[in-house]
Amino acid sequence: MAKTNPGRFFEDYTVGEVIRHAVPRTVSGGERALYHALYPARHALYSSDEFARAAGLPSAPLDDLAAFHVVFGKTVPDISLNALANLGYAEGRWLLPVYPGDTLRSESEVIGLKQNSNGKSGVVYVRTRGLNQRDECVMEYVRWVMVRKRDLDAPAPETVIPELNKVIPAEQLVIPAGLHFSNYDFTLAGEPHRWGDYAVGETIDHVDGVTIEEAEHMLATRLWQNTAKVHFDNTARPDGTRLIYGGHVISMARTLSFNGLANAQMIVGLNGGAHANPCLSGLTVRAWSEVLDKADTDAPGVGAIRLRLVATKGGAPFELKGEDGKYLPDVLLDLDYWALMPK
Amino acid sequence: MAKTNPGRFFEDYTVGEVIRHAVPRTVSGGERALYHALYPARHALYSSDEFARAAGLPSAPLDDLAAFHVVFGKTVPDISLNALANLGYAEGRWLLPVYPGDTLRSESEVIGLKQNSNGKSGVVYVRTRGLNQRDECVMEYVRWVMVRKRDLDAPAPETVIPELNKVIPAEQLVIPAGLHFSNYDFTLAGEPHRWGDYAVGETIDHVDGVTIEEAEHMLATRLWQNTAKVHFDNTARPDGTRLIYGGHVISMARTLSFNGLANAQMIVGLNGGAHANPCLSGLTVRAWSEVLDKADTDAPGVGAIRLRLVATKGGAPFELKGEDGKYLPDVLLDLDYWALMPK
Amino acid sequence: MAKTNPGRFFEDYTVGEVIRHAVPRTVSGGERALYHALYPARHALYSSDEFARAAGLPSAPLDDLAAFHVVFGKTVPDISLNALANLGYAEGRWLLPVYPGDTLRSESEVIGLKQNSNGKSGVVYVRTRGLNQRDECVMEYVRWVMVRKRDLDAPAPETVIPELNKVIPAEQLVIPAGLHFSNYDFTLAGEPHRWGDYAVGETIDHVDGVTIEEAEHMLATRLWQNTAKVHFDNTARPDGTRLIYGGHVISMARTLSFNGLANAQMIVGLNGGAHANPCLSGLTVRAWSEVLDKADTDAPGVGAIRLRLVATKGGAPFELKGEDGKYLPDVLLDLDYWALMPK
């Protein structure tokens, strides 16, 4: 019996099946420090226990995207080892903050399958949940990937395409218990702009850029125990490049967005996202945002803001797609998320 | 209203003004581990809780220079975003050790202003204080930077040049409460040389060298939340290089100085410092030291030693300036500091 | 008196002498997070406090190899600064798990000396022990290195060659107190293969590869406070390359072996090891294993498995030596160790 994991192929998935992913992970101050070393992370709620306490939390949580990466990384060996493409995200919600000392594991339910017309591959939809040591769900999201078939003669499964919200309704966002921005210190947070200062349709060029190094994206991707070989092995791709984990670009863009969105503190919803073009080392990543929507919440002083976050490797800000409706070649990422901001 | 931070220009500063800097930061064992990964840090007091306890401290503090970097990093968006040059440091004192769990923030008071004769820029002097979660000052230092004017027609401010000590008098150095070197273990510390073994005028070649990588200086600089774009963006400078944060060179030189100064445990004073030439990746950094002065202290077994620490990228040790009085091209750093050493 | 450490030469060692090594080190969650960032580490017992508790331990220990690196790193300034070659390891045993908060130091006893026939160097055998803050021995191992003579006219010492076990008898392996695999969760651990599923003589190709970067091996080697200049200074070797610390290759190979040996959780014995060829940055490291032996233990559900772990930089798996009995040029490491596995 072969001992190594060959990964699953399209015909290995069944709608309704729940896959328990391996390797639970306890996080500590070490993960927080590394997140600050790997990305220009400056959002105060994740940087300072005192700032988090002033906002009603027991201490600074692990960055929301770090929690996402830990949960996501565990799914790779079961979901995307033989994936041809990561097609999309939907219905992502952060349900509980993750604190140093928490242990995370992941589960994915197969919620859709559709064989491609060429018969060589198919689309697998999974809803992934991150669970802590008390089996509480800390976050969930749907993603769909294109996966190869092992056996081209395997029969096509019944097509099931899940109905997914294009946007999470604001009332379904979960605000952490106790969170408030009643006595929010805008000076310590870094910018004076509050929820009311942002207008739907407004665009923000985050100005700064970071040139990407091989060592850094590999450190980051390993930290999340994502072991997809294309990220690490320069012999795994015909051109000798290492493909950078899409999540590295997400975190880079989000942290660059501090400059103009310093008060978009907590990410609570992921409406969708596309990795528009591959990211390779040596590129300089920049970011721009667009305000897509705003909504009030019941938490004292807390508003919700829906943002488009775009990462680029060049070109002018605020340009996204060409006349053909396709992403421009310099666009790396197009992400749609909800964040919480002081009113 | 533009949302991103354009930084301050020379005419935006007023003598007497106190600027509260953004993004408080809680430190943990993660920062300590990263400091050991980024630099060849071996001073025992910062490496071992047990060694620190034997010296009268509750546990190993965060490295003094790591505390400095955290405090310094916060000032960048308000002080040096539009700086043309970092001109000098003075009157730096470490006042309280920083421990895992502490949260640091920074404030700077503008203590001097002098417009340059060309009318295009001026020198801004600030006294920066690092404060912990109890609003205790953990360290302070003066630095002065040359900052561009936004509006060349803005009137020159009244010239105020602060009087600064060229050297901090030994009696103004602050020894951490309880610190003693009464039962100091020289074997565990790594070298037998005690305070009495060093003579004023003595020079030490620290022998070892470290070749600098882009990934490492960016990890370090981000860890301190210093976001000056020249350190990260290879499109920000005409020659496509990334300028290495001067503090990275300070930490590299100080940790290399372990070999010959293993017992210069705590840094308590920063008399002055010059970043003589820019540091770029690919260079191999070396260091040498000169004993500038010695002083006794009231703490049991503790002496103070004043050291010149020079980092180079080549050339012979102990050569600093040319006949024209200017730093030689291979000199990166010339730092003047006080450290505590067992007698 | 020169202040820097010139290292010891062959004639400076005496059989029976015990060398206390410098710079004790307290470990925390920071070291654990960095180990996950530097290596594709996924063994569940070291990743999850909850998984470790289910196996009878108080929390997840520091990875066994991280503990080894910390203990080893301290010996470098006294044992291998003037070494021409690291010749071998034997009788390595892990005696106590290391937990966050523990402080480690090292001692080495000289147990053998043999001058080489050329009179220019000799072989030094040391038994190194890692001790925690309670002076308990957490691990021990023998290694022997070839060290230069300072003075070629120094007389040869009496030759003493220690008798060393080629393989540690299984009954001498130390199982951590309380460890059991009675209710082991194979799904969370990542693979279904139990001790009974492995046959002596079986070989496993671990498939994945990692391309090595300068920044990463330097971060790792510094983290263990190993300051041998060949790892850091590209001017220290005639060809301008940096030689990668052999322990970096050991950890890379061990963590790559997760894919096929996910349940070989704890390393308890190091029978031997050879760094067959130097490792340089830019290479892609792969690994394969061979089951050398199996033994039962008294701990509930726990079996011992003896494995050969080979790291390569190319070539076909399972090829080790040429017809001349020498390691093939693509072989980097040949390690022989005992691990604990659920039955």
Side-chain angles (χ1 to χ4, degrees), chain B residues 189-206:
Chain B
E191 290 182 351
H193 325 300
R194 51 181 76 225
W195 184 76
D197 297 330
Y198 290 87
V200 173
E202 180 176 356
T203 52
I204 302 160
D205 176 8
H206 301 300

Side-chain angles (χ1 to χ4, degrees), chain A residues 102-122:
Chain A
D102 281 355
T103 299
L104 300 183
R105 60 185 181 88
S106 303
E107 288 183 359
S108 294
E109 180 181 352
V110 181
I111 60 169
L113 288 172
K114 181 182 181 303
Q115 182 163 311
N116 286 331
S117 52
N118 66 11
K120 296 182 179 170
S121 58

